């Protein structure tokens, strides 16, 4: 019940295309859902985050869509660029702690 | 402002040995968390410290331990190393009450032979 399932494991997108990464969770007590981006040799960095009382959050080319009833959330990267090539992790948090449950990651490659 | 600093960046140990990893958080951050990253498993939570107290612990055996000092710097220790402990160990600091952003270091890559 503590798992966050992430798919796909890897993704190849043409430059200018839309990249979509999906995550699903079971524990309805999760109340904060961030996405982290990790480049090779670097630690993950926060990209965008959402709370379950909002169905969508957009920051530039990055959008989180949240479906509370289905217990799913997804990251959409519009106009994908080669510089977006990285590993993306979704995560979920139980309120009041810094204990995050991470998905297993999606390796995105954007072709020039 | 300096980021999260982890030392050493790379280390090789043999089975049965122990290892200590160090983490200096961003100045002013009082919460320090540790995660283990392995291919296919993603990031798995080890423990979190705030004001020298362990607030949360993940599902790892007792061979994994940590501590935090009064200056917020943190160390984690793994005793009796096993091959499966080979991983990237990431430290993250946070500035305020949770939930909030985790600021990760670049990690310490441990190889156990």
């Amino acid at each position: 019940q503590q798992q966050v399932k992430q798919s796909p494991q890897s993704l190849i997108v043409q430059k200018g295309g839309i990249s979509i990464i999906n995550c699903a969770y079971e524990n309805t007590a999760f109340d904060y859902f961030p996405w982290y981006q990790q480049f090779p040799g670097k630690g993950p960095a926060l990209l965008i985050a959402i709370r379950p009382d909002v169905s969508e959050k957009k920051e530039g080319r990055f959008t989180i869509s949240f479906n509370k009833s289905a217990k799913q959330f997804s990251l959409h990267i519009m106009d994908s660029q080669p510089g977006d090539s990285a590993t993306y992790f979704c995560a979920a948090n139980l309120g009041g702690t810094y204990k995050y449950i991470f998905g297993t990651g999606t390796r995105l490659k954007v072709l020039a | 402002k300096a980021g999260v600093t982890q030392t050493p960046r790379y280390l090789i140990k043999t089975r049965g040995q122990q290892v200590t990893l160090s983490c200096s958080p961003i100045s002013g951050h009082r919460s320090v968390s540790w995660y283990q990253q392995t291919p296919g498993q993603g990031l798995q939570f080890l423990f979190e410290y705030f004001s020298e107290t362990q607030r949360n612990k993940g599902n790892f055996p007792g061979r994994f331990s940590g501590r935090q000092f009064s200056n917020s710097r943190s160390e984690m220790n793994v005793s009796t190393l096993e091959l499966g402990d080979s991983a990237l160990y990431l430290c993250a600091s946070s500035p305020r009450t949770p939930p909030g952003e985790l600021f990760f270091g670049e990690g310490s890559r441990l190889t156990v032979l």
Side-chain angles (χ1 to χ4, degrees):
Chain A
Q1 206 184 24
Q2 292 279 23
Q3 278 188 319
V4 175
K5 295 183 179 179
Q6 183 172 347
S7 63
Q9 187 174 351
S10 62
L11 182 61
I12 299 175
V13 173
Q14 293 287 338
K15 179 182 175 182
I18 302 174
S19 304
I20 302 174
I21 305 170
N22 301 298
C23 285
Y25 64 97
E26 289 293 325
N27 191 342
T28 56
F30 289 143
D31 65 356
Y32 181 70
F33 301 88
W35 284 88
Y36 280 81
Q37 178 188 56
Q38 184 178 31
F39 293 103
K42 302 293 185 182
L46 180 66
L47 192 60
I48 187 173
I50 198 168
R51 289 187 181 273
D53 54 348
V54 176
S55 61
E56 186 176 281
K57 183 174 182 181
K58 184 176 180 179
E59 290 185 2
R61 296 185 293 110
F62 301 91
T63 300
I64 299 179
S65 296
F66 191 87
N67 186 328
K68 190 174 181 177
S69 60
K71 292 185 283 187
Q72 295 176 347
F73 59 110
S74 59
L75 175 70
H76 295 236
I77 306 174
M78 311 300 287
D79 188 26
S80 298
Q81 300 295 313
D84 297 330
S85 297
T87 301
Y88 293 80
F89 293 95
C90 62
N93 173 264
L94 282 168
T97 80
Y98 272 116
K99 179 178 181 179
Y100 285 83
I101 308 299
F102 280 84
T104 51
T106 296
R107 183 172 290 184
L108 170 66
K109 185 174 179 64
V110 181
L111 302 177
Chain B
K1 209 173 196 181
V4 176
T5 303
Q6 292 189 244
T7 56
R9 289 292 314 281
Y10 303 91
L11 65 167
I12 300 173
K13 295 285 187 178
T14 56
R15 281 183 300 172
Q17 288 187 309
Q18 75 166 19
V19 66
T20 299
L21 309 178
S22 180
C23 172
S24 293
I26 293 172
S27 178
H29 289 193
R30 296 170 64 190
S31 170
V32 173
S33 306
W34 289 88
Y35 287 82
Q36 181 194 64
Q37 183 176 8
T38 54
Q41 292 287 325
L43 283 77
Q44 294 187 288
F45 175 78
L46 282 156
F47 23 67
E48 186 231 344
Y49 289 88
F50 183 87
S51 292
E52 302 178 66
T53 301
Q54 186 182 89
R55 291 203 294 195
N56 285 286
K57 191 176 192 303
N59 296 325
F60 280 82
R63 300 185 295 107
F64 292 80
S65 63
R67 59 178 175 168
Q68 186 182 32
F69 302 95
S70 58
N71 61 359
S72 293
R73 191 177 69 85
S74 178
E75 288 181 348
M76 67 163 283
N77 184 276
V78 187
S79 62
T80 319
L81 284 166
E82 301 177 359
L83 295 178
D85 297 333
S86 294
L88 181 67
Y89 290 88
L90 291 162
C91 170
S93 70
S94 306
R96 63 173 73 90
T97 54
E101 182 173 357
L102 295 172
F103 292 82
F104 283 94
E106 294 186 334
S108 292
R109 183 165 295 281
L110 170 65
T111 301
V112 182
L113 302 176

